[in-house]
Amino acid sequence: MRTNHYDILIVGAGVAGSALAHALSTITSTLRGSPIRVALLERSLSEPDRIVGELMQPGGVAALEKLGMEGALEEIDSIPEHGYCVVQSGRLVHIPYPDGRQGRSFHHGRFIMRLREYAKRAPGVDVIEATANELIECEHTKRVLGVRATRLTPGKNSSKDEKEPFFADLVIVADGCFSNFRNAVMGKSACQLSTRSYFIGAILKNARLPIPQHGTVALVKGHGPVLLYQISEHDTRMLVDVKHPLPSNLKEHILTDVVPQLPTSLHVVIHEALDRDRLRRMPNSFLPSVKQGGKYTKEGVFLLGDSWNMRHPLTGGGMTVALNDVVLLAQMLGEVANYSNWDQISDILARWHWARKPLASTINILSVALYDLFGADDECLRVLQNGCFEYFECGGECVRGPVSLLSGIAPSPALLFYHFYRVAFYSIWVMFTHPRPVNNSKTEALAVPRVWEYPFLLIKSVKVVCCLAF
């Protein structure tokens, strides 16, 4: 049996794991007499096939540049993204990224393979195709010493393969949203996943979006939002948010309840896609980050990426958070001479937890708030949804501020709350002063509220404010 010992062992070669492996290989420190030895374990090094993780905000692109990995976006037929287009009942509002900034969209699997190429070329990094089965713990101190893993052996039954030990001074688990080690690492500190809906995914061929090279968010009355963005020259990803519990016939639900409310230019290609391919789904989960290190986690191990912190994927902020986490963490780990010193690692994890907060909390909160707003299912939220749409129509700072937050360019919770409450009070003002649909016996017309309606609207305004608070 082979015995392998490394300075750092990373479980999972996804976005966070591959990026961190490369980043650690670039660390030069006078505290260490030799380069960092890193093992990157991944159960399958074949190209992954997922329906999310395909839209990167400008903040994520900037983080890739800091890591020297911007080349991972090239040679994969990726598409520049210049902002968003929000569609509601035939109305359209343009939300461009500020200052000419760009995001990128792509096939998830192609991007991951490019990241893994960087990790494979990195000095001191061993990329190993093996399934991590369990943590190895010291019998006396319970400190994590490494993992036992089963290498993939072609032509053999993997269940009969011998589990091979991989030892390291520090273990970092980045095995994604379906983490097998989350509870083992966090113990009683672990938070429960919250899943309120699913994304149902399909690929449209040669679709024409309302604004090319812009993510399209379509607000569907009575249902969750629909997100569309081009991921290659001929492919456009469509993600339909469907709330729990799922309908028994997803295809019928999409064609009957959702498609009629989307731009007519998309109807034919959507029907073709649903006839051609099977629908795939992905849970939209929320997992708040909790403190790690010290007494909060097992000694010698911590979590990174979606195994530790998740937000709703509607805003496309997951990779931006993960890559910025890697930028900060790699810098801090470069200050460590001995990765078996848990007290020093715990201090770094505490600093990292707070250093990441401005960006991570802004994107996390915004993802939940916008999902609740765009998937409004009660009267108060519909008031806010309409007000938000008209707020964007004002242009200027009413667009620049929110999209800077969304894209990871302006990591500022203060700016987030500023625009959050501006939207809220603007929504109330719109409710009092702007024409809204009024039904009569013959037609549906638009009319400004009359004075005698103000008491009712005032009561509704209080409910809207309470909706924000709770």
Side-chain angles (χ1 to χ4, degrees):
M1 180 185 296
R2 290 168 288 192
T3 300
N4 310 286
H5 192 281
Y6 296 87
D7 297 307
I8 295 177
L9 185 150
I10 302 170
V11 177
V15 174
S18 299
L20 182 60
H22 169 80
L24 291 173
S25 74
T26 65
I27 291 175
T28 55
S29 172
T30 57
L31 297 175
R32 301 185 59 84
S34 59
I36 301 172
R37 288 201 67 220
V38 178
L40 178 60
L41 268 61
E42 170 58 43
R43 65 182 178 83
S44 173
L45 291 175
S46 59
E47 184 174 315
D49 183 16
R50 296 182 64 193
I51 65 171
V52 294
E54 296 178 316
L55 175 63
M56 181 178 291
Q57 299 287 359
V61 175
L64 271 181
E65 291 171 351
K66 291 178 183 177
L67 294 168
M69 303 178 73
E70 63 272 22
L73 295 170
E74 306 302 330
E75 300 178 12
I76 58 173
D77 197 15
S78 65
I79 303 297
E81 294 289 341
H82 301 284
Y84 279 88
C85 164
V86 181
V87 180
Q88 180 193 46
S89 303
R91 301 157 65 197
L92 181 151
V93 63
H94 180 209
I95 306 176
Y97 292 135
D99 306 322
R101 302 288 288 269
Q102 286 187 10
R104 287 290 188 95
S105 52
F106 39 73
H107 283 274
H108 173 82
R110 298 176 189 175
F111 177 61
I112 294 298
M113 296 303 282
R114 290 287 284 159
L115 291 180
R116 289 174 180 172
E117 288 175 16
Y118 273 88
K120 290 176 180 178
R121 293 196 301 264
V125 176
D126 290 342
V127 180
I128 303 165
E129 191 168 37
T131 300
N133 306 113
E134 59 189 1
L135 301 173
I136 300 174
E137 298 181 21
C138 174
E139 293 181 5
H140 305 289
T141 65
K142 300 303 179 183
R143 177 190 173 93
V144 172
L145 306 175
V147 301
R148 288 188 179 87
T150 306
R151 290 186 188 252
L152 181 64
T153 305
K156 289 185 63 178
N157 185 343
S158 59
S159 63
K160 297 181 180 179
D161 286 349
E162 187 176 6
K163 294 178 181 178
E164 183 179 344
F166 294 85
F167 295 98
D169 294 335
L170 179 64
V171 176
I172 302 174
V173 174
D175 59 344
C177 59
F178 302 112
S179 175
N180 293 318
F181 294 98
R182 184 182 296 124
N183 291 332
V185 173
M186 298 303 301
K188 294 181 179 179
S189 299
C191 289
Q192 290 297 115
L193 275 174
S194 172
T195 301
R196 295 170 53 190
S197 67
Y198 292 81
F199 262 156
I200 310 302
I203 289 182
L204 314 182
K205 294 293 184 181
N206 300 310
R208 293 176 57 196
L209 296 178
I211 304 179
Q213 297 187 353
H214 284 66
T216 298
V217 181
L219 308 187
V220 180
K221 188 175 181 180
H223 302 282
V226 176
L227 181 61
L228 302 108
Y229 47 89
Q230 189 177 354
I231 56 176
S232 65
E233 182 180 0
H234 299 289
D235 294 346
T236 294
R237 172 66 69 190
M238 179 181 74
L239 297 171
V240 180
D241 183 84
V242 180
K243 296 178 181 179
H244 189 77
L246 293 174
S248 57
N249 190 328
L250 283 170
K251 181 179 177 180
E252 181 181 351
H253 163 71
I254 293 172
L255 292 177
T256 304
D257 301 327
V258 177
V259 173
Q261 300 189 54
L262 300 182
T264 54
S265 61
L266 297 170
H267 289 187
V268 172
V269 291
I270 292 174
H271 278 266
E272 290 173 348
L274 298 192
D275 287 339
R276 182 182 61 247
D277 303 324
R278 68 181 179 90
L279 289 172
R280 301 173 58 195
R281 67 187 184 190
M282 185 78 178
N284 295 329
S285 302
F286 178 76
L287 181 66
S289 60
V290 294
K291 290 184 177 179
Q292 300 192 88
K295 63 181 180 180
Y296 301 104
T297 55
K298 280 185 178 292
E299 186 174 340
V301 61
F302 66 89
L303 303 174
L304 173 68
D306 282 354
S307 64
W308 176 52
N309 183 208
M310 282 185 278
R311 75 288 310 149
H312 197 285
L314 174 68
T315 55
M319 290 185 289
T320 297
V321 172
L323 291 169
N324 277 277
D325 281 353
V326 168
V327 170
L328 294 171
L329 185 61
Q331 291 172 348
M332 295 179 181
L333 289 176
E335 304 168 6
V336 180
N338 180 7
Y339 292 113
S340 63
N341 185 336
W342 185 241
D343 289 336
Q344 189 176 7
I345 295 296
S346 295
D347 289 341
I348 283 175
L349 291 175
R351 286 166 47 204
W352 176 54
H353 180 80
W354 292 107
R356 69 186 293 275
K357 277 290 183 183
L359 178 77
S361 62
T362 297
I363 291 179
N364 291 348
I365 293 170
L366 193 58
S367 74
V368 175
L370 284 179
Y371 174 70
D372 285 341
L373 207 59
F374 290 167
D377 54 6
D378 66 44
E379 191 175 6
C380 292
L381 285 173
R382 282 193 289 272
V383 169
L384 290 169
Q385 182 190 87
N386 185 61
C388 181
F389 193 92
E390 297 205 18
Y391 186 78
F392 291 152
E393 288 183 322
C394 294
E397 185 56 30
C398 295
V399 166
R400 182 184 179 89
V403 78
S404 296
L405 293 163
L406 176 70
S407 60
I409 297 171
S412 171
L415 183 63
L416 171 63
F417 284 104
Y418 169 75
H419 283 284
F420 186 75
Y421 283 101
R422 276 196 69 179
V423 167
F425 289 110
Y426 185 77
S427 300
I428 293 172
W429 184 77
V430 166
M431 185 172 60
F432 274 88
T433 62
H434 287 207
R436 84 280 194 234
V438 176
N439 292 315
N440 58 37
S441 57
K442 295 181 180 180
T443 61
E444 184 178 89
L446 295 176
V448 175
R450 307 292 180 88
V451 174
W452 56 80
E453 296 180 75
Y454 283 9
F456 169 74
L457 294 179
L458 185 60
I459 294 172
K460 185 185 283 188
S461 300
V462 173
K463 291 181 178 179
V464 169
V465 173
C466 291
C467 176
L468 290 174
F470 300 103

